[in-house]
Amino acid sequence: MFDGELFAWLVRYQTSERRCVIRVLLIGGASGIGRAVAAEIVDGGGEVILAGRRPDVLNDAAATLGTSASASSVIVDLTDEASISAAAAEVGSVDHVVSLAADHANGPVADLDVADIRKAFDAKVIGPIVLAKHVASSITEGGSLLFFSGVAGWKPAPGLSVMATTNGAVAFLVEALAVELAPIRVNAVSPGIVDSGAWDSMGAGKDSFFAETARANPAGRVGRPDDVVAAVLFVLTNTFVTGTTVHVDGGGRFA
């Protein structure tokens, strides 16, 4: 899907003064799309610090990605500012911070629990703001913050009001932070329906759901993790992109 040799050059490059290796703090990188992003960064010669709330899962994921020099972990809970502050101090200087964190509160509005709504906003909106507060000063020149939005923000559906609102808020958040934190770049990636394992719980219904999605999408298929990884790498390495939401949905928001 993308030129691996080119990316390796981008994450591990030579200057007249020093050799630089890209260093990425990746929240939600222990599985699914996040794991694919982490693997590509490590394969390209970069370093990832996997962050999340479960040390056992993080440590196992880091161990399978590479050596301790290329993949490590740190505890981060986006609902807890002290956790974010402590992680920022522990990790130190980074080139990029990527958050794929999400906490869903799906269902009819009449049935929603307020605590679940707040958790969804903590993961997608409040947590990223607090994250920016504590890590911005540690991001190197040319670096960036990258948050994940989602197609529901542009294609609302019954039962997905909270998801649509939080994903839409991410798009506005990156515009605001790109202006306030400049020259640090701030962007978002908005995936559509991607066969990342997240839909496996549908069982036999997954195939028909994917087939219908593919028929409706202008691109004629559902997404693959590589599609999203390629978008992430583009946003991280293109220093002229900021305040932007990159849609990787096969045109699903128009379907």
Side-chain angles (χ1 to χ4, degrees):
M1 297 301 296
F2 45 86
D3 189 332
E5 291 185 2
L6 174 60
F7 179 64
W9 179 83
L10 288 166
V11 299
R12 185 189 292 269
Y13 60 94
Q14 201 79 23
T15 70
S16 58
E17 297 180 356
R18 62 188 174 90
R19 175 175 162 276
C20 302
V21 176
I22 198 172
R23 193 165 192 256
V24 181
L25 175 62
L26 186 59
I27 300 164
S31 62
I33 291 172
R35 179 71 167 270
V37 171
E40 194 62 33
I41 291 170
V42 170
D43 288 348
E47 176 188 354
V48 293
I49 306 101
L50 302 179
R53 292 179 289 191
R54 297 181 56 188
D56 53 338
V57 173
L58 294 170
N59 291 336
D60 288 347
T64 62
L65 284 169
T67 67
S68 59
S70 59
S72 57
S73 64
V74 65
I75 300 301
V76 169
D77 182 349
L78 289 184
T79 69
D80 179 8
E81 183 171 7
S83 163
I84 296 170
S85 176
E90 180 179 342
V91 170
S93 177
V94 292
D95 299 298
H96 304 282
V97 178
V98 180
S99 178
L100 299 92
D103 207 332
H104 303 303
N106 296 336
V109 170
D111 298 336
L112 292 177
D113 183 272
V114 172
D116 292 337
I117 296 171
R118 288 179 175 142
K119 288 178 182 177
F121 274 85
D122 276 336
K124 284 280 191 177
V125 184
I126 299 171
I129 292 172
V130 179
L131 185 64
K133 171 184 175 180
H134 288 284
V135 304
S137 61
S138 300
I139 295 177
T140 61
E141 181 179 356
S144 71
L145 287 155
L146 174 61
F147 303 122
F148 266 58
S149 179
V151 69
W154 288 263
K155 190 180 180 182
L160 299 180
S161 292
V162 175
M163 181 182 288
T165 304
T166 55
N167 284 329
V170 172
F172 287 103
L173 176 60
V174 300
E175 293 179 0
L177 289 179
V179 173
E180 180 166 348
L181 300 180
I184 295 170
R185 296 180 299 110
V186 188
N187 294 292
V189 166
S190 178
I193 305 302
V194 178
D195 190 5
S196 63
W199 303 94
D200 291 354
S201 60
M202 294 182 69
K206 172 184 167 181
D207 289 343
S208 59
F209 171 64
F210 275 13
E212 178 57 34
T213 299
R215 281 192 294 271
N217 275 357
R221 64 176 177 86
V222 299
R224 298 183 290 264
D226 276 357
D227 297 320
V228 184
V229 173
V232 170
L233 302 185
F234 162 73
V235 172
L236 294 187
T237 56
N238 190 317
T239 58
F240 205 53
V241 176
T242 192
T244 297
T245 297
V246 177
H247 296 277
V248 192
D249 59 12
R253 65 195 183 281
F254 308 126

